[in-house]
Amino acid sequence: MPKMGYNNYHMDIHTNIPLKNYTTMKLGGPARFMTEVRTSEEVAEVYRNAKTQKLPIFVIGGGSNVIAKDEGFSGIIVRMRIPGFEIVADDINSTTIKVGAGEEWDSVVKRAVDMRLSGIEAMSAIPGTAGATPIQNVGAYGQEIADTLQSVEAYDSREDRLVTLTNDDCRFAYRHSIFRDESIGRYVITSITLKLSKNLPTPPFYDALQKYLDENNIQIFTQEIIRNAVIAIRSTKLPDPQISPNTGSFFKNTIVENWQLDALRAINPDIPLFEMGDGRYKVPAGWLIEQTGLKGQLLHGMRVYDKNALVLINESATSYNDLLAARDEIIGQVRDKFRIQIEQEPLTI
Ligand SMILES: Cc1cc2nc3c(=O)[nH]c(=O)nc-3n(C[C@H](O)[C@H](O)[C@H](O)COP(=O)(O)OP(=O)(O)OC[C@H]3O[C@@H](n4cnc5c(N)ncnc54)[C@H](O)[C@@H]3O)c2cc1C
């Protein structure tokens, strides 16, 4: 096995590794090289080496929001494994924690909930690593990482140095940040710092969560009760990637402008529209797909999940091209019916 590095760092580099074993969609050809990083120095080291050798580089965490192509990746895949969980500030109202990018996200949520801290309990049971949460401003059931994130530490591969980016620097929006946009590929997040509240979670809760709490006659809201409720709801709506390969929502909800509403209501007066407060509205992409009649259908080996049309399950697809064909058919049918272009959520390696 080749080694990489100078100074004191010697990382194992594996060759010809099938990416389908490292992505929850279970598709994708071989990575030419793959290595794991456990410190920020190792991140810098691997980037410097890749630059010298003119190799492309791509970071993955749990592989739960990426798609790999059949031809694989001709450079180095870096698996983020930096550990860490420490309290960096504490006052009467809040506790601030700093978490290594390679920590499993749900175990971070569990630890925070066990410490009776609020702010991320509704983001329970989301697969993947802590360091990936800022990339698409991960969110669920009314919370998103932007609400509690103070800053991230990152390796800036353009400047070859470690930097701290504030919440504002990340320019968070719905499923969006600079890491998916103008700075794509530039920063490797090595830790995230979250400021969590010591107050109990308070209503109003997200509609689906409130409905579950009402139905189960739950009137006392602790972090743990909210976490358990979210886990229970998710288990009915999201397939377990270990059993049914998927990436969670395959499509982002669509944002439409005020001026589009009349035309959309003319197509279907029942179209659900959630006001975002800035003159724009969120349209659930799952609802749009449902209206095309594709929910539950098998397209090129990909199943449009019958409990949640946003999710595509790899039932029998053998190639990335199968997934592309299924994706394009869904996008095309939604466009034909509503003249709305829905977008893929996971990034392609
Ligand atoms: C069943 C299921 C349910 C899901 N539910 C939700 C949900 O409710 N809400 C939600 O928002 N998402 C959800 N997801 C999507 C996914 O879990 C999240 O986006 C998660 O944050 C991805 O983490 P990961 O470590 O697997 O990232 P990966 O898939 O490995 O990577 C995702 C992207 O982040 C980049 N990246 C990863 N780590 C770093 C780093 N340290 N520095 C720089 N870039 C990095 C990668 O290059 C890639 O572009 C779900 C997925 C599944 C399979």
Side-chain angles (χ1 to χ4, degrees), residues 104-114 120-126 201 209 212-213 222-234:
E104 190 205 351
W105 171 249
D106 192 51
S107 62
V108 174
V109 178
K110 182 167 186 323
R111 280 180 82 166
V113 165
D114 289 346
I120 52 176
E121 62 285 350
M123 290 190 278
S124 289
I126 299 177
L209 179 55
Y212 177 91
L213 297 169
T222 66
Q223 295 85 354
E224 194 181 6
I225 284 171
I226 299 299
R227 171 171 166 82
N228 290 340
V230 167
I231 291 173
I233 302 168
R234 290 180 71 98

Side-chain angles (χ1 to χ4, degrees), residues 24 58-66 80 101 126-129 131-133 135-136 138-140 175 187-189 234 238-239 241 246-248 345 347:
T24 59
F58 194 94
V59 184
I60 59 168
S64 64
N65 213 26
V66 284
M80 175 49 67
I126 299 177
T129 53
T133 56
I135 307 300
Q136 68 157 1
V138 158
R175 295 295 175 275
Y187 296 104
V188 182
I189 295 173
R234 290 180 71 98
L238 287 160
N246 76 91
T247 55
E345 182 188 285
L347 290 165

Side-chain angles (χ1 to χ4, degrees), residues 4-6 11 13 35 37 39-60 73 76-80 82 154-162 183-190:
M4 180 183 261
Y6 31 75
M11 283 164 273
I13 307 286
T35 192
V37 286
T39 63
S40 45
E41 291 78 12
E42 287 184 355
V43 175
E45 193 63 33
V46 75
Y47 268 78
R48 284 177 202 139
N49 275 290
K51 198 171 177 185
T52 316
Q53 294 171 43
K54 297 195 171 57
L55 284 171
I57 193 160
F58 194 94
V59 184
I60 59 168
F73 185 66
I76 307 179
I77 296 285
V78 178
R79 289 189 71 212
M80 175 49 67
I82 298 177
Y155 171 71
D156 178 349
S157 63
R158 200 171 81 186
E159 304 291 334
D160 184 26
R161 64 188 174 106
L162 294 172
S183 298
I184 196 164
R186 174 171 172 184
Y187 296 104
V188 182
I189 295 173
T190 54

